[in-house]
Amino acid sequence: MIAPSTRYERVHAKSTIFFQRLTGLLCVLVLGAFVYLGLYDFPNYRGDTLPLDASTILGRCNSLHLTPGPGPEFNRRTHSDRFQPGTTPVLIRNATIWTGLKNGSEVFHGDVLLDKGLILTVARDSLDIKAQYGNITTIEANGAWLTPGVIDVHSHMTSEPSPQLDGAQDGNSYFGPMVPWLRVLDGMNTHDDSFLHAITGGVTTSLIIPGSLNAIGGQGFVIKTRPTKERSPTAMLLEPPYGLNGSSVDPEMPPRWRHMKHACGENPRYYQSTRMDTVWAVRDAYNTAWKIKNAQDEYCSKALAGDWDSIRDQKFPEDLRWEAMVDILRGRVKVQTHCYEALDIDNFVRISNEFQFPVAAFHHAHEAYLVPEVLKRAYKNVPALAMFSTFSRYKREAYRHSEFAPRILAEEGIDVIMKSDHSAIVSRNLMHEAAIAHFYGLSENLALASVISTSAKVLGLDHRIGYIAKGYDADVVLWDSHPLSLGATPTQVIIDGIPQLSHPHVAPKPAEHQHAPSPPDFSEEAKRAVEYEGLPPLAPTRREEVVVFSNVSSYWVRHHVEEPMVDLFASPSVESEDAPSKARGVVVVSRGRVICSGRVGVGQCATYLSGPGAQFVNLQGGAIQPGLTSSGSSLGLSEIAMESSTGDGLVVDPLTVNQPTLIDSYVARAVDGLQFGTRNALLAYRSGVTISVTSPSHMVWLSGLSVAFSPGAAHRLARGAIVRDVVAAHCTLGHGDAGPSVSTKVATLRRLLTESVGGEIGEWFGKVANGTIPLVVHVGSADIIATLIGLKKEVEEHTGGAIKLTLISASEAHLLADDLAEAGVGVIVNPVRSFPFTWDDRRVLPGPPLSADSLIGHLIKRNVTVGLAPRGISAVSHPGNADMASWSVRNLRFDAGEAMLDAGPGVLSKADAFDLVSVNVEKLLGLDVDPEERDLVATVGGDLLDFEGKVVAVISPRQEAVDIFLG
C-alpha cells in the first residue's frame, strides 16, 4: 500500500477504515443472530442454542476417526517437504538396483534420477537427460549395488549422544514408571558424533525412542540422519505430528503416525516393582486413557447429534498428560514395546486385547520365536519383531535368545526387523546385523528388507521411504559390494537427494563379494533351538580315533612360530572334476593330531580312506585353519553378565579405601574364578575360538592376572582345559573411571615397577618389571597412551631390561603409531571399526568411507604388532565393559574378516587376518603356543573369515581329540 501524501487523503483513509470495521462487526452480529435463532443449517441441528465454536467442535470430533497416513495430495507432490533449495539433481547410472518391491525380490540393472528430494525416475534403460538438466551430478555405479536407505527402528542417538558425557544423557526419566507425556524430541541433542558414523553404515532414517527404564517411557520421533542448515532437532524430523510447534491443524487432514515407547520385564523393576506391579501400572494407565476416550466419544456423539444443550457448560474432555495414550486407543500412535520373555510378551498381548490397541513391534523379543501363536493373538495385527542377531545373555531375560530367531519367525509369516539399539550395537553396523541373520538362515530378500522396507512399514512411512520407486524420498545407498557380504561399506549415501560423503574412501572388495553369500545349512540347529526352548545342548561329540576330513580346499598351517602361515593346498597340482582350478585335499587326524594330508589322488593317505573305524567328514570345499584366540572379554567368568550370582564377581581394587589388611597386597587370578560350560564359551568354541585369555572382572583400576583356557573344555581338570594359568597382569586407565585420578594410578604403576613392594602384588609386578609377563593396559586416550610409552622407557632405564607392554582397545593409537612401533608396544584393537563411545575415544580413525585407513590398517603400515579383540557393545578401555563382551566372542571370526577387508588390498592377506586373532594376540600377551600344539578348526563350505563357512570340528592336539559339531 502507498502511504497517503496529503491531509485530506489521510482523513479519508481513516474514515474508510472505520466504516469497513463497522460493516464487519454488523456482519458478525447478524451471523450470530442467525446461529442463535437456528436459521443456519448445522448437521443434525435440533433447535438448541449453538455455541460460537460449534464448527471447531464438530471438526475436532470428526477428526477423531481419521486414520494416520499421507494426505490426498501426497502422491502428487513435486518436491519433498525436506528438500533443501539449491540441491543439485543426481543421476546414478548403471547400478544393480534392489528396489525393495515384490517382497524384496526385485533386482535389476538401471539408472535412478533424483531431484528436489525425490526419486524422479527409475529406469531399466540408460537415461539421457542432458538436455533437460544443465547442472546435474552424475555418479557412475559400474554395476554396484544400490538400495534404499537403511532404516533403524530402535536408536538412542541424540538422547544419549556420543561421546558419552553425563551432561547429555537424556534417554530415561527417573520420575516414575508411567511418563507417556514425555517426548524424546525435548532431549534430542544434535551434537552427536553418531550421525556421521550412522551414515557410513548407510543409515538414513532412525526412530529415536526413550530408554526402557519406564514401563511407558514417552513418545519417539523419526529423524533423517543428515545435518541440516537449521542445526536443530526439529529440522531433522521426518513427518512430525501436525501442530507440534503450536501451529493450527486442519481437522480434515489425516494425522501423522506417532510412536510410544513401552517396556516390560526387568527394566521397569528399577522402581522397586515386580512384573505384577508393572502390568497393573500399565493397565491403570490405559484405563485412565480409556475413560478420557469414552468421555470424548460421549461428548462428540452429542455434538454430532446436535444435542448442544446437554454439553453447553462442558469443554471437550482432554488431558495433555494422557492425550497420546488416548490416541493409542484410537489407533493413531504406534506402540513400540521393549519385551524380552514369553511371559512379558503374553502379558502385553493380553493388555492389547483388553484395551483394544494394536502393537506395532516388540523390540528385543528374545523369546518371541518360542511363542509365535501368542504373537498372532495380539489385537488387530501381528506385531513385527525388532531383534538383535547374536547380542544376548547379558541379562536373564536374554538368556534363551537364539541366533535362529529371525528365520524361525519369518517362517511363521511374521515381520522381522533387525535393529541397533544404538549404541548397544553401533548403528553403523546395522546392515552387518542383517548379514548375520542371513548367515543363520534368514532369506536374502527378507534380510535386506529387515533393515529397509519392513522397517519403513513398521514406522508407518512406507509411502515415502524404504523403496526405490518414483515419488519416494531420495534416500539411497551405493555399496562397494553386496550389502549382505562381509564388510559391505557404502561408497555414497544420499539423503533427501543430498550426497553425504564428500570424498569417500573406498577399499575395493573381491569380485565374489558382489553376490550375496551362500549361507550354511542350520536347519537342524534351528529346530533344536525351539525343541529345547532356547537351550539346546552345545557340547561337542569327542572322538579320539581316526577322523578323515575330505573335500578340503584350504589347509592352513605354520611349521614354526616365526614362519608365515601357508595354505598347503593353495597351489593346484592335480586337477579334479569338481574343482578344476584347485584340487581338493584330504586331512587325516588321530588323537587330535594331523597324521596325513594330501591332494585327491595322492597315495600317502589312501590307507586311511579305506580303513575300518574311521569317521569321515566331508567339508564340501571348506577349510582347515588355525583356532582363534580371544581376549578382552570376561568369557568363562560369568554366565549372565548382569546376574551377579552367575559370575565370579568384582575384584577388590588395591586403590580403594578402607581395604581389609588381609587382602591389601593380593592380586586376583582369573583361573580361580573360571566357570566351564557357559553358553557363551561353548558358542565361541563352536565358532572357532579355541583359546580365551580372560582377566578378572573389575570396576576401578587393577584387574589382576589373566588365564588362557579352552572354551570347549568340560571343567578345569579336563585334559588341555588350562593353556596357562597366569598369562599377564591387566589394568585399566581411563578418564572418568571410578577411583582416584589417572595420574594417581600411573604413579602407582611407576612405584610397583621401579620400587621394591612387598606382598603378592609386588611379586607379580616384579615379574612385569623384569619382562617375565606382560603388562596389559585397557586404554583408549592417546594422552594416556603417550604417558604409558613414557613410563615404559622410564622403567626400562631404571631396570636396564625390557618390559612387555600391550594395549587393548587403544581407540586413539593411530595418533602415536610411530611412537608405539619405536617403543615396541603392541595393540589389541577393539572394536574392529572404531567408534567414539567416550571422551577417551573421541579422536577415532573410522576407516572407509570416512578415512583411507582403518585403525588396524594404519598401525600395521607403521609396523606396530596388532591383534584383534571381539567388538562387544563398547570399547573395553573402561572397567566393566569387558563383562558385556562375552556374547560377541563367537563373532570374532567375522571381525577378523572385516578387518582384512577394511584395511584394503595388499595390507592384510588371509594369513595375516588369521594372525590377527591367533598368533599376534598370543605374542602380545606372552602366550607362546607351539605350532605343533595349535588347535585347528574345520569348516564346511567356506572358512572362518567369511559368511559361508560353518564350523563342524575342532582338531585339538592339546586335548588329544577331535570335537565334532554335527547338528
Side-chain angles (χ1 to χ4, degrees):
M1 177 184 293
I2 300 175
S5 57
T6 69
R7 181 175 181 276
Y8 170 79
E9 290 171 330
R10 289 197 295 271
V11 172
H12 179 73
K14 288 181 180 179
S15 62
T16 300
I17 293 171
F18 171 76
F19 283 110
Q20 286 175 344
R21 289 176 176 173
L22 180 61
T23 303
L25 178 60
L26 289 172
C27 290
V28 170
L29 292 173
V30 171
L31 178 59
F34 269 70
V35 169
Y36 181 78
L37 295 173
L39 301 177
Y40 182 81
D41 184 23
F42 272 84
N44 301 316
Y45 175 63
R46 305 192 327 171
D48 298 333
T49 301
L50 289 173
L52 291 178
D53 59 348
S55 295
T56 301
I57 292 171
L58 293 174
R60 185 167 190 180
C61 288
N62 283 318
S63 72
L64 295 180
H65 305 287
L66 294 176
T67 302
E73 298 298 317
F74 183 85
N75 291 328
R76 291 190 286 272
R77 60 181 181 156
T78 58
H79 66 278
S80 171
D81 53 340
R82 293 184 48 80
F83 172 60
Q84 183 172 297
T87 302
T88 304
V90 177
L91 174 64
I92 303 171
R93 298 177 57 86
N94 190 29
T96 302
I97 305 169
W98 184 88
T99 65
L101 299 169
K102 299 181 180 178
N103 199 30
S105 63
E106 183 177 71
V107 178
F108 57 83
H109 293 273
D111 294 358
V112 176
L113 175 63
L114 314 175
D115 190 16
K116 294 183 174 61
L118 301 177
I119 298 173
L120 200 61
T121 307
V122 182
R124 293 176 182 266
D125 301 318
S126 180
L127 290 172
D128 185 8
I129 56 172
K130 291 182 179 179
Q132 185 177 352
Y133 290 94
N135 183 22
I136 189 169
T137 299
T138 301
I139 299 174
E140 179 55 56
N142 295 312
W145 285 86
L146 184 74
T147 69
V150 175
I151 301 168
D152 191 352
V153 303
H154 188 135
S155 176
H156 301 292
M157 283 194 298
T158 70
S159 63
E160 297 176 7
S162 297
Q164 181 180 339
L165 294 169
D166 291 342
Q169 295 302 298
D170 290 309
N172 286 291
S173 169
Y174 296 90
F175 288 95
M178 299 294 153
V179 286
W181 45 85
L182 299 185
R183 307 180 302 181
V184 77
L185 172 63
D186 301 323
M188 287 170 55
N189 196 320
T190 57
H191 302 301
D192 188 345
D193 290 353
S194 303
F195 293 134
L196 188 54
H197 288 263
I199 289 170
T200 64
V203 177
T204 59
T205 305
S206 291
L207 172 62
I208 311 301
I209 49 181
S212 54
L213 201 65
N214 315 95
I216 302 180
Q219 301 163 48
F221 285 77
V222 180
I223 66 167
K224 294 283 189 82
T225 54
R226 71 171 176 86
T228 65
K229 287 186 175 181
E230 187 177 295
R231 300 188 181 93
S232 71
T234 301
M236 301 183 75
L237 299 180
L238 178 61
E239 291 204 354
Y242 294 119
L244 178 66
N245 291 322
S247 56
S248 60
V249 178
D250 182 351
E252 296 184 359
M253 283 289 291
R256 287 170 166 173
W257 282 111
R258 294 191 287 165
H259 302 269
M260 182 67 75
K261 175 69 178 294
H262 291 60
C264 311
E266 293 184 24
N267 285 23
R269 290 163 64 98
Y270 170 84
Y271 294 99
Q272 290 79 47
S273 60
T274 65
R275 279 178 167 82
M276 293 183 291
D277 295 305
T278 300
V279 170
W280 165 247
V282 172
R283 292 178 65 214
D284 187 50
Y286 273 103
N287 192 51
T288 299
W290 188 266
K291 291 177 180 177
I292 297 172
K293 174 183 178 294
N294 286 345
Q296 291 176 354
D297 290 344
E298 183 179 355
Y299 178 92
C300 285
S301 67
K302 294 177 179 178
L304 293 169
D307 185 8
W308 296 102
D309 281 348
S310 65
I311 58 174
R312 179 178 301 162
D313 297 326
Q314 299 178 28
K315 291 185 177 181
F316 181 81
E318 60 183 336
D319 186 327
L320 184 60
R321 294 176 304 166
W322 299 101
E323 61 84 20
M325 294 283 290
V326 172
D327 263 4
I328 290 175
L329 298 176
R330 295 195 183 282
R332 296 147 67 99
V333 177
K334 287 183 174 286
V335 172
Q336 309 288 351
T337 304
H338 159 122
C339 272
Y340 282 65
E341 293 190 83
L343 84 158
D344 296 317
I345 294 170
D346 188 51
N347 284 341
F348 206 84
V349 165
R350 193 163 53 247
I351 293 171
S352 80
N353 283 297
E354 179 181 3
F355 292 98
Q356 299 182 0
F357 64 88
V359 180
F362 283 112
H363 293 236
H364 306 310
H366 287 269
E367 292 187 12
Y369 71 100
L370 297 174
V371 289
E373 297 308 314
V374 173
L375 296 168
K376 294 174 184 178
R377 288 204 307 266
Y379 180 75
K380 205 168 186 178
N381 63 262
V382 181
L385 282 307
M387 315 185 74
F388 295 127
S389 62
T390 52
F391 180 26
S392 54
R393 285 170 294 282
Y394 47 93
K395 57 180 177 177
R396 179 198 166 279
E397 57 189 4
Y399 187 58
R400 293 176 184 265
H401 170 90
S402 174
E403 59 272 38
F404 308 113
R407 68 173 286 172
I408 293 169
L409 289 163
E411 288 167 0
E412 289 284 345
I414 298 174
D415 284 340
V416 171
I417 301 168
M418 308 311 295
K419 55 94 171 73
S420 74
D421 194 12
H422 178 91
S423 62
I425 299 295
V426 174
S427 57
R428 176 182 183 177
N429 300 319
L430 183 53
M431 184 60 80
H432 185 70
E433 285 287 286
I436 293 177
H438 177 242
F439 175 76
Y440 287 113
L442 187 63
S443 65
E444 177 186 348
N445 62 311
L446 294 184
L448 286 170
S450 74
V451 292
I452 302 176
S453 50
T454 308
S455 303
K457 171 185 172 183
V458 168
L459 295 183
L461 292 168
D462 51 342
H463 56 280
R464 66 181 297 167
I465 60 174
Y467 299 90
I468 295 181
K470 183 178 180 179
Y472 273 69
D473 283 16
D475 301 345
V476 296
V477 183
L478 195 64
W479 300 85
D480 64 1
S481 50
H482 189 286
L484 296 177
S485 66
L486 186 60
T489 302
T491 59
Q492 188 53 266
V493 179
I494 300 174
I495 305 176
D496 297 325
I498 307 171
Q500 299 299 304
L501 303 174
S502 56
H503 299 93
H505 299 275
V506 179
K509 299 296 196 306
E512 59 267 24
H513 280 239
Q514 297 305 319
H515 306 281
S518 300
D521 182 4
F522 286 106
S523 299
E524 288 303 313
E525 288 88 344
K527 290 178 183 177
R528 285 160 63 86
V530 176
E531 177 186 353
Y532 287 91
E533 297 189 8
L535 302 176
L538 297 174
T541 300
R542 179 154 291 189
R543 183 175 176 86
E544 297 181 354
E545 295 80 13
V546 173
V547 180
V548 177
F549 295 95
S550 63
N551 244 334
V552 184
S553 288
S554 297
Y555 174 31
W556 294 91
V557 298
R558 173 182 276 103
H559 294 297
H560 188 274
V561 70
E562 298 299 330
E563 293 180 0
M565 187 184 304
V566 295
D567 178 2
L568 291 184
F569 294 170
S571 302
S573 59
V574 179
E575 297 290 323
S576 65
E577 185 177 343
D578 60 340
S581 63
K582 185 176 179 182
R584 303 282 172 82
V586 172
V587 175
V588 181
V589 179
S590 178
R591 297 193 65 82
R593 297 183 182 276
V594 175
I595 57 175
C596 175
S597 65
R599 298 290 182 78
V600 173
V602 178
Q604 63 263 37
C605 296
T607 302
Y608 302 101
L609 299 180
S610 57
Q615 180 168 348
F616 287 81
V617 179
N618 183 353
L619 296 190
Q620 302 171 35
I624 292 178
Q625 57 251 292
L628 311 185
T629 299
S630 173
S631 62
S633 82
S634 62
L635 194 72
L637 289 182
S638 69
E639 179 77 307
I640 304 172
M642 296 171 68
E643 289 285 347
S644 60
S645 65
T646 71
D648 178 48
L650 300 173
V651 302
V652 177
D653 194 276
L655 294 182
T656 55
V657 297
N658 300 322
Q659 191 173 145
T661 305
L662 180 64
I663 60 172
D664 64 357
S665 64
Y666 91 117
V667 179
R669 304 187 192 190
V671 68
D672 297 330
L674 277 182
Q675 300 178 50
F676 287 84
T678 66
R679 299 195 72 78
N680 283 330
L682 290 173
L683 287 167
Y685 192 57
R686 293 174 75 101
S687 301
V689 177
T690 60
I691 297 176
S692 175
V693 178
T694 300
S695 64
S697 297
H698 66 297
M699 288 301 293
V700 183
W701 165 64
L702 182 62
S703 168
L705 304 173
S706 55
V707 61
F709 72 100
S710 169
H715 53 79
R716 176 175 176 170
L717 302 180
R719 185 171 53 208
I722 304 297
V723 181
R724 184 180 296 173
D725 59 353
V726 173
V727 177
H730 293 247
C731 68
T732 300
L733 289 174
H735 296 105
D737 291 344
S741 66
V742 171
S743 53
T744 299
K745 295 169 184 175
V746 172
T748 304
L749 278 175
R750 180 180 292 110
R751 183 184 174 208
L752 288 170
L753 295 172
T754 60
E755 298 180 17
S756 178
V757 178
E760 190 178 4
I761 192 170
E763 176 187 350
W764 283 106
F765 272 89
K767 292 183 179 182
V768 171
N770 64 29
T772 303
I773 65 171
L775 174 62
V776 179
V777 183
H778 299 236
V779 63
S781 166
D783 298 300
I784 301 177
I785 292 172
T787 297
L788 288 169
I789 293 173
L791 179 63
K792 181 178 188 290
K793 293 177 180 178
E794 183 180 342
V795 172
E796 289 173 342
E797 289 174 359
H798 180 82
T799 62
I803 67 170
K804 300 174 183 176
L805 175 61
T806 294
L807 311 178
I808 290 188
S809 187
S811 305
E812 297 185 349
H814 57 284
L815 300 175
L816 297 164
D818 293 334
D819 301 278
L820 290 167
E822 181 182 355
V825 177
V827 175
I828 299 176
V829 170
N830 152 270
V832 60
R833 288 179 168 176
S834 300
F835 180 79
F837 291 102
T838 70
W839 190 254
D840 281 1
D841 310 312
R842 69 191 185 280
R843 298 171 291 189
V844 296
L845 189 65
L850 293 182
S851 61
D853 286 340
S854 64
L855 175 57
I856 289 174
H858 183 86
L859 293 174
I860 286 173
K861 289 177 181 179
R862 282 153 180 80
N863 299 314
V864 177
T865 302
V866 180
L868 179 62
R871 77 175 78 202
I873 65 167
S874 59
V876 294
S877 53
H878 292 268
N881 291 351
D883 297 339
M884 291 289 286
S886 296
W887 66 273
S888 66
V889 177
R890 67 184 302 180
N891 294 330
L892 183 59
R893 54 178 293 196
F894 303 139
D895 295 342
E898 196 167 74
M900 174 180 67
L901 295 163
D902 282 354
V907 179
L908 279 174
S909 65
K910 182 166 285 191
D912 295 330
F914 281 126
D915 286 349
L916 276 181
V917 286
S918 57
V919 295
N920 285 15
V921 173
E922 295 154 13
K923 178 181 179 181
L924 291 170
L925 297 176
L927 185 66
D928 298 323
V929 177
D930 184 340
E932 297 299 320
E933 300 298 313
R934 177 171 298 282
D935 291 342
L936 299 171
V937 176
T939 50
V940 166
D943 59 37
L944 287 175
L945 304 183
D946 61 34
F947 276 139
E948 298 188 348
K950 177 183 179 181
V951 175
V952 293
V954 171
I955 302 164
S956 181
R958 191 173 57 254
Q959 299 179 90
E960 300 182 7
V962 176
D963 284 340
I964 298 175
F965 315 107
L966 294 177

